[in-house]
């Protein structure tokens, strides 16, 4: 059941294409600012292939509480990746070419994970844990600067993830597919734009034990922006999403409505602010033996960002959003669909630092603390037990550094730490001793590796 919390929390961040739940992440997969080099031009397209190899240590691979005998392992991870896109702004500058009518960007990666127990007596628990994580995405934007434009996108991710039980039949291996499209209206030269779109998401669990969690989510969304200053805009974002579990399940079908308004942009030449406030509500079906549980509250997002490297080179309108050197502090409050009860509410504060030194050394640090609140939950496999509402607190920290010896080669290190502070034990099979899953755990991971990229 720990996975339920982990998956729900990660889904809230919207990091669909490259996020791995409860795994140490390669930042170059999630963020093109870290991942891409100068690229290879092929006609009107640019290609960015790469390959990385890492070795590391995982202190608690199965996310167990101290009462459940945590097991550690050495890890090997090999990750080839590639992205393909229409020519970027740097390659178009100085060519006299007209604004492109079609923009395309796509990418894919495969990550092979090998695990070796730190104690040979536990090697049987890790023998079948090797797995492949796979991801791919594509985005097509038609008339990106025209009065009327359209976009469509596809994403796929396959992820292997263990449960507390080393038996691979109890693993939470899953596949997620997302597709969406929208139309954008930009009157008045682009100072105002409004997008209306739709999205479909399907989550598929590979193991029979968890097929009842298979679900699809579909909805409509719209967002608007009015740039009343060159680099500052008023924003609106709203959506309505239906959630459906097609297989017989203790999970309830339902819907989530969201609406928020705010501001995003530069306050000074180096200081930027994102501030959003809104409302969200859930409309889940209720079974006869359950008490009504719905979310109906304020949502919010705020981030204050200081660009460390100022000046005209970094702070032009086109380059400021992708500046590598900044410090930020932020807060997020939202609601998300959950596999532990209908939904969960999340309040998270964080601080982060990203710095590029001399064009050769890149570092990133993030520290966050979150409170997750879950409503009453019903567990038919736990003897029909009703789990009272509860909250838990989570601490997460990530440190990444890479030294680039050239435009194509770098050595890097990644450190992750996460801890769940709670005394809650979720009921599972009453025949188990003890009859439940301890949600508390602590885990740290460290990887060192090399990367070759273009």
């Amino acid at each position: 059941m720990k996975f339920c919390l982990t998956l729900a929390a990660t889904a809230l961040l919207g990091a669909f294409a490259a996020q791995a739940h409860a795994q140490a992440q390669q930042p170059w997969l999630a963020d093109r600012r870290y991942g891409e080099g100068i690229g290879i031009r092929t006609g009107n397209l640019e290609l960015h292939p790469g390959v990385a190899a890492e070795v590391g240590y995982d202190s608690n691979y199965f996310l167990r509480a101290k009462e459940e005998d945590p097991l550690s392992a050495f890890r090997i991870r090999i990750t080839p990746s590639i992205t393909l896109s229409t020519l970027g702004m740097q390659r178009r500058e100085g060519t006299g070419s007209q604004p492109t009518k079609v923009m395309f960007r796509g990418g894919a990666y495969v990550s092979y994970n090998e695990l070796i127990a730190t104690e040979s007596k536990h090697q049987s628990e890790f023998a079948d844990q090797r797995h492949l994580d796979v991801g791919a995405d594509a985005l097509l934007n038609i008339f990106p600067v025209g009065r009327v434009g359209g976009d469509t996108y596809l994403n796929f991710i396959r992820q292997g993830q263990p449960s507390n039980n080393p038996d691979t039949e109890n693993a939470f291996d899953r596949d997620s597919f997302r597709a969406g499209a929208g139309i954008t209206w930009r009157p008045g030269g682009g100072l105002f734009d409004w997008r209306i779109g739709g999205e479909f998401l399907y989550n598929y669990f590979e193991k029979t034990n968890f097929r009842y969690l298979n679900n699809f989510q579909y909805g409509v969304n719209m967002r608007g922006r009015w740039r009343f200053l060159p680099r500052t805009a008023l924003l609106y974002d709203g959506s309505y999403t239906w959630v459906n579990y097609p297989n017989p399940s203790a999970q309830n079908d339902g819907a989530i409505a969201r609406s928020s308004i705010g501001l995003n942009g530069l306050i000074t030449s180096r200081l930027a602010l994102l501030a959003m406030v809104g409302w969200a509500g859930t409309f889940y079906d209720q079974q006869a033996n359950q008490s009504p549980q719905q979310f109906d509250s304020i949502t919010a997002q705020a981030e204050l960002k200081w660009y460390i490297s100022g000046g005209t080179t970094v702070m032009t309108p086109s380059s400021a959003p992708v500046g590598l050197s900044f410090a930020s502090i932020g807060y997020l409050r939202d609601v998300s669909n959950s596999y532990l009860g209908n939904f969960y509410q999340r309040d998270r504060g964080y601080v982060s630092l990203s710095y590029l030194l001399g064009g050769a050394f890149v570092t990133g640090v993030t520290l966050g603390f979150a409170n997750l609140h879950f409503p009453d939950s019903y567990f038919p496999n736990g003897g029909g037990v009703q789990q009272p509402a509860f909250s838990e607190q989570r601490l997460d920290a990530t440190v990444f550094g890479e030294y680039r010896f050239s435009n194509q080669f770098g050595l890097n290190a990644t450190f992750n730490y996460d801890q769940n502070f709670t005394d809650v034990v979720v009921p599972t099979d009453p025949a188990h001793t003890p009859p439940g899953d301890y949600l508390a755990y602590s885990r740290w991971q460290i990887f060192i590796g090399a990367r070759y990229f273009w």
Side-chain angles (χ1 to χ4, degrees), residues 157-220:
I157 185 170
R158 189 274 174 185
Q159 178 169 346
Q161 183 175 331
S163 65
N164 296 40
N165 189 331
D167 187 346
T168 55
E169 288 304 311
N170 292 317
F172 297 112
D173 300 346
R174 59 198 181 277
D175 305 87
S176 297
F177 172 80
R178 182 178 67 164
I183 297 176
T184 302
W185 179 48
R186 309 181 189 91
L191 294 180
F192 174 83
D193 60 72
W194 192 269
R195 180 187 182 277
I196 299 177
E199 183 174 283
F200 174 85
L201 170 65
Y202 181 65
N203 295 303
Y204 173 77
F205 289 80
E206 298 178 2
K207 305 302 181 181
T208 305
N209 292 345
F210 301 105
R211 294 283 172 82
Y212 71 95
L213 292 176
N214 290 352
N215 67 91
F216 56 84
Q217 304 176 26
Y218 55 96
V220 293

Side-chain angles (χ1 to χ4, degrees), residues 64-127:
R64 290 177 170 179
K66 60 182 181 180
E67 296 87 351
E68 299 172 312
D69 187 22
L71 300 179
S72 59
F74 298 111
R75 298 184 58 178
I76 300 172
R77 190 163 58 187
I78 301 174
T79 308
S81 62
I82 189 170
T83 62
L84 177 68
S85 67
T86 49
L87 295 182
M89 182 177 297
Q90 290 181 329
R91 280 198 163 96
R92 292 201 308 269
E93 286 180 350
T95 63
S97 60
Q98 297 297 318
T100 180
K101 295 182 179 180
V102 177
M103 292 181 62
F104 170 81
R105 183 174 184 82
Y109 71 89
V110 176
S111 187
Y112 172 76
N113 293 261
E114 179 69 39
L115 294 100
I116 304 170
T118 55
E119 299 181 65
S120 58
K121 65 180 180 179
H122 293 304
Q123 185 54 37
S124 59
E125 282 92 334
F126 290 95

